[in-house]
Every structure is written in C-alpha cells, then in structure tokens.
Amino acid sequence: MGKIISIANQKGGVGKTTTAINLAASLAVMEYKTLLVDADPQANSTSGCGFNPKSIKVSLYECLIEEKSVKDIVLETETPHLFLVPSHLDLVGAEIELINHPNRENILKSILEPVRNDFDFIIIDCSPSLGLITVNALTASDSLIVPVQCEFFALEGLGKLLNTIKIVQSRLNPELDIEGILLTMYDSRLNLSNQVVQEVKRRFGDSVFKTIIHRNTRLGEAQSMRMPVLLYDADCKGAINYLNLAREIIQSNSLEPIIKQKAELN
C-alpha cells in the first residue's frame, strides 16, 4: 500500500511546490512508483512536470466535483516511474462547490483510495492556505512535510498550521503524523539562515529533517524549463539535496532502496 504524504504550509514562498516536484521525482528515479497530486489551483506542479495547465481538459477538479476516476486522468511524465494528477485554475472554485457536501473533508481520501495500491508513494502538493482542499489532503494523508524557509519570518504562521494539524488528527485523521519539518532556501553565508536553523531545531528537535535544502538557482531554472531539477542538472546542489531527502524518508519508513534490492538479487 502506497504511503500518502502531503506537502503543506499556508505561508507562500517556502519552497512547497519545489519540494513536491523534486521529492516526487527523486523517489521516482530511485524506482519507487510515485504519483504527484497537484492540489493547488495555481497548477505549478503540473507545469513543473512539463504540462501546460491551460491545455489540461480533465484535472483534480473533475475528480472532486464530477466524481471522475483518478485512474482516468493520471498523466505519465518524462521522469520514469513518476505520474501526475494535474490541476487547473477551476480548482479554485471547488471549495465553494463542496461546502454543502455531507462528507466534504473526506472526498480526496475516497478519490485516492482506489489507486493507493498502484503506487509506492503519493505526494500531494497543497495550496498555500488552510482551506477545504488542504484539509482534504491532510485527511487523506499518512503524514505531512512542512517546508520552512531559512528567512526572517520563518516561523510566522507555523503555530496556526500545527493547530490545524491537531484538529485534523482529533476529528478526521487520527493516524496523521508529521513526517518532518524541512528547512529550505538555506544560505550558509548568512548568519540569519544559521540562526533560523538553530531556532527550528531547538523548538522541534527530531521532527526536523537532517537534510536541508540549499538556495540554488538551478531549482528555479528547472521549474522555468518545466522539469524536475534531476532532469535539468542532476549534479547540482538542489538535486543532491532532494535525493538525500528521499533517502532520509525511505530510511525513516524502514524501506530498502529498490535499486539496492535489485543489485542484491543479481
């Protein structure tokens, strides 16, 4: 059964979508069959995987509102073993349309359940809000990654997110865990970055990933080229950081790298 991990932070500009795309791609290149679900109306994960959101005819919106099967809309990306459930601007209206649905917090969970066994990992890129779609993502997920940028207002709003997580745990999904807090946009030359790292580790301890995502221009360039950084420049620091993050998640979930398994069989 595939593990479902949401990438969420209601604060924008923290590297959420960058993390969703590149973590999913890193797991995929390690030969874990991975599904990236773009649950953000901005559809940046969709474009970051090589698709034009304007040309998408059927998206997550149709699954939520029109009960379209996820199996019918999954797209195969250029990255081997990486698949995508695309988003569209229409998704922005889904929260209003679902407001009177009797089971509105569990719709995404029911949508993903039929395909869960088809994938090793399902990564959900949430919108920068704590609205109904994000609550759906948290209800559907086994765990959550919280990106926190190494900048001045790093911890701003984090308390509100953690409170929302507690509400979801108590009312909707008692099995939801925090996979980890991920420090992003780190610049070792800046005292501020180092201070933020120390403060986050002081407050959250072992919940913080050992892997830190460095500020890296290649990450932004890869997104502008509509591809994961591993396809753009596999040797850059950003690519190495996300591969290390994928390895850390695999190890923390007591999984053996599939490539290693194959080598041992041979």
Side-chain angles (χ1 to χ4, degrees):
M1 181 179 290
K3 180 161 190 177
I4 303 178
I5 304 175
S6 279
I7 317 290
N9 191 331
Q10 81 275 19
K11 192 174 185 300
V14 298
K16 177 181 58 59
T17 296
T18 301
T19 295
I21 294 169
N22 291 296
L23 172 59
S26 295
L27 291 167
V29 299
M30 292 179 180
E31 298 190 11
Y32 286 94
K33 191 177 180 183
T34 304
L35 178 66
L36 175 58
V37 179
D38 191 349
D40 185 348
Q42 297 177 82
N44 289 330
S45 280
T46 300
S47 61
C49 286
F51 299 94
N52 183 355
K54 293 180 180 178
S55 66
I56 296 293
K57 303 299 182 186
V58 187
S59 69
L60 182 62
Y61 172 83
E62 281 73 22
C63 295
L64 293 169
I65 304 300
E66 300 175 9
E67 299 184 4
K68 192 83 173 175
S69 171
V70 164
K71 290 184 178 182
D72 294 334
I73 72 163
V74 168
L75 302 174
E76 189 170 353
T77 74
E78 290 186 8
T79 305
H81 308 293
L82 178 61
F83 299 82
L84 174 75
V85 172
S87 183
H88 189 274
L89 187 59
D90 287 347
L91 191 62
V92 77
E95 296 202 4
I96 297 171
E97 295 179 64
L98 293 172
I99 198 71
N100 294 318
H101 194 287
N103 200 28
R104 62 188 183 189
E105 294 92 357
N106 289 282
I107 298 171
L108 184 57
K109 182 177 182 179
S110 65
I111 287 169
L112 294 177
E113 203 61 38
V115 300
R116 184 165 183 159
N117 289 332
D118 297 336
F119 297 94
D120 298 303
F121 288 96
I122 298 175
I123 306 296
I124 306 176
D125 180 20
C126 299
S127 62
S129 73
L130 295 178
L132 183 57
I133 302 299
T134 298
V135 171
N136 261 265
L138 298 180
T139 304
S141 296
D142 299 304
S143 64
L144 169 73
I145 293 174
V146 183
V148 175
Q149 83 280 31
C150 297
E151 295 178 358
F152 186 71
F153 293 112
L155 301 178
E156 188 181 66
L158 195 54
K160 189 175 181 181
L161 174 62
L162 296 175
N163 187 53
T164 299
I165 293 167
K166 288 179 182 177
I167 293 171
V168 171
Q169 287 170 327
S170 64
R171 299 181 187 177
L172 298 166
N173 183 6
E175 306 301 319
L176 180 66
D177 289 325
I178 296 180
E179 189 80 25
I181 293 172
L182 178 67
L183 290 157
T184 64
M185 304 181 190
Y186 174 73
D187 188 336
S188 60
R189 299 168 299 178
L190 301 178
N191 286 333
L192 179 60
S193 284
N194 294 307
Q195 289 168 8
V196 170
V197 170
Q198 291 171 10
E199 178 63 14
V200 171
K201 287 184 175 179
R202 184 187 69 79
R203 290 180 61 173
F204 299 104
D206 292 339
S207 295
V208 183
F209 284 110
K210 294 181 177 65
T211 301
I212 296 176
I213 308 301
H214 290 68
R215 188 177 290 279
N216 183 249
T217 56
R218 292 299 205 192
L219 288 170
E221 290 172 3
Q223 281 188 292
S224 69
M225 298 298 289
R226 298 175 181 259
M227 63 178 68
V229 71
L230 280 165
L231 295 187
Y232 181 69
D233 184 352
D235 296 322
C236 73
K237 181 160 281 190
I240 293 167
N241 288 164
Y242 279 110
L243 282 169
N244 287 336
L245 176 63
R247 290 188 187 101
E248 192 172 343
I249 289 170
I250 289 165
Q251 289 170 2
S252 69
N253 285 280
S254 301
L255 299 173
E256 281 286 330
I258 288 177
I259 295 171
K260 181 181 177 182
Q261 291 176 18
K262 288 183 176 180
E264 289 174 348
L265 288 172
N266 293 330

